[in-house]
Amino acid sequence: MEKIINGFMEEFQKNIPPALYELKEVIGEHARSACESMIHKMDLVSREEFDAQVLLLRRSQEKLLSLEERITTLSEAAKKKSSENTKKKSSKDKK
């Protein structure tokens, strides 16, 4: 964020008209303050933090997919076993 603000401030101060050079520092301080305030209100994150969150999200999605597949497998196995138990029970009842 600091890089962005510094870059903006350099460009901003280059464009201050000569008649206002005496106020250059005061104007620069106010502009920097306003810029920092707006950026903080936007609740922006750094690229590094964004990339870390994307990686965390990918890992979470992979784990979720793995767990969903496992649940499906276990559910199918439970249904198969239940079906087999029902068949065994009904064949015992017939005897």
Side-chain angles (χ1 to χ4, degrees), residues 7-22:
F8 171 78
M9 290 308 300
E10 285 177 24
E11 287 300 313
F12 179 78
Q13 289 181 340
K14 284 180 192 175
N15 293 311
I16 291 178
L20 298 176
Y21 276 160
E22 292 177 14

Side-chain angles (χ1 to χ4, degrees), residues 89-95:
K89 187 178 179 181
S90 68
S91 67
K92 283 182 182 178
D93 290 345
K94 288 181 181 180
K95 290 181 181 181

Side-chain angles (χ1 to χ4, degrees), residues 27-43:
I27 293 171
E29 288 173 17
H30 286 290
R32 176 180 289 278
S33 175
C35 205
E36 287 175 348
S37 176
M38 283 190 311
I39 287 175
H40 289 297
K41 285 179 183 176
M42 285 193 236
D43 201 21

